[in-house]
Amino acid sequence: GAVVSQHPSWVICKSGTSVKIECRSLDFQATTMFWYRQFPKQSLMLMATSNEGSKATYEQGVEKDKFLINHASLTLSTLTVTSAHPEDSSFYICSASPTGAVAPNEKLFFGSGTQLSVL
Amino acid sequence: DAKTTQPNSMESNEEEPVHLPCNHSTISGTDYIHWYRQLPSQGPEYVIHGLTSNVNNRMASLAIAEDRKSSTLILHRATLRDAAVYYCILPHYSGAGSYQLTFGKGTKLSVIP
């Protein structure tokens, strides 16, 4: 099956610094990628949808200036958490669609997640 | 958007079949029913999806009620590796020009050796 690689698996940073998380589709081109956040014992919450070559669409309540998303190529999307604070500590997960998620019967492929801890 | 309702948790003995229910009484005629699962400390993985007919794949079977207001994910022989949170999801079209998955709380399946 299609593989989505997410890096790093975990990261610890100091408050006020920025952290970049990479999401790569290894064996397919992903025109659309999604970024989710998951707090402990909670479900995944969609943060934003990114389409290659265009600006990301953020969900209500997600600060676009804090969570910078770049989808510059068909195989790579990055999420940068700027000026991270302890409340940003969470499990961040990306997913990708090889066909742009334009039909309801398409399946998404997920990365293995990045655990961010902000001290 | 149609919502789904699942039990918070279920238990199964190893090597026994498991039936995970999902209610989606407000489903529309064009809504697909998807199942994903999330193992501990991992991203979700696709399990199966269907529209009207029952579906089988190497991981599981999906039984869809005739009125489509409920469905059941069937794991034929639970293994310890099947312990996960199982999500029943109806993808919905978003303003971003694509279908999205909205994750509910899912069902946490525990498998007893």
Side-chain angles (χ1 to χ4, degrees):
Chain A
V3 178
V4 175
S5 175
Q6 195 170 335
H7 180 81
S9 299
W10 55 270
V11 57
I12 301 172
C13 70
K14 292 182 178 179
S15 185
T17 62
S18 296
V19 175
K20 179 184 285 188
I21 301 169
E22 293 187 347
C23 179
R24 294 181 184 272
S25 54
L26 297 186
D27 50 1
F28 66 96
Q29 292 184 329
T31 54
T32 302
M33 288 188 175
F34 302 90
W35 286 95
Y36 293 83
R37 180 168 54 181
Q38 184 175 33
F39 291 108
K41 299 191 183 303
Q42 294 188 22
S43 191
L44 286 77
M45 295 294 295
L46 180 65
M47 298 176 68
T49 302
S50 74
N51 293 301
E52 185 267 337
S54 60
K55 289 183 179 180
T57 300
Y58 290 80
E59 295 299 301
Q60 194 171 9
V62 178
E63 300 174 58
K64 63 180 181 181
D65 294 329
K66 180 170 183 63
F67 299 100
L68 302 179
I69 292 172
N70 185 292
H71 192 164
S73 80
L74 286 172
T75 59
L76 175 64
S77 176
T78 60
L79 168 68
T80 301
V81 184
T82 63
S83 186
H85 291 285
E87 57 265 30
D88 298 322
S89 298
S90 186
F91 192 52
Y92 291 87
I93 307 166
C94 69
S95 68
S97 164
T99 49
V102 295
N105 60 340
E106 295 178 20
K107 53 187 179 184
L108 293 184
F109 302 95
F110 287 80
S112 54
T114 297
Q115 181 63 51
L116 170 63
S117 296
V118 185
L119 304 179
Chain B
D1 302 330
K3 295 189 184 297
T4 62
T5 304
Q6 300 177 250
N8 289 333
S9 61
M10 291 185 66
E11 276 188 354
S12 173
N13 293 317
E14 196 176 9
E15 298 190 4
E16 295 287 321
V18 183
H19 291 232
L20 298 167
C22 180
N23 286 322
H24 28 78
S25 59
T26 60
I27 192 171
S28 75
T30 56
D31 284 334
Y32 277 77
I33 302 158
H34 287 237
W35 285 81
Y36 285 77
R37 72 179 185 181
Q38 185 178 22
L39 279 64
S41 302
Q42 294 288 321
E45 66 172 333
Y46 167 83
V47 178
I48 201 167
H49 76 275
L51 182 61
T52 55
S53 304
N54 295 342
V55 184
N56 300 296
N57 65 22
R58 63 175 181 81
M59 289 182 71
S61 296
L62 176 59
I64 301 173
E66 195 170 334
D67 63 6
R68 303 210 322 127
K69 293 185 176 182
S70 65
S71 61
T72 302
L73 179 71
I74 302 166
L75 306 180
H76 296 285
R77 287 184 64 200
T79 69
L80 296 179
R81 291 178 57 195
D82 292 321
V85 179
Y86 287 78
Y87 299 97
C88 169
I89 304 170
L90 309 182
H92 62 96
Y93 195 73
S94 74
S98 62
Y99 278 84
Q100 292 179 346
L101 302 181
T102 298
F103 287 79
K105 295 182 179 179
T107 297
K108 184 176 182 179
L109 175 66
S110 300
V111 180
I112 302 168

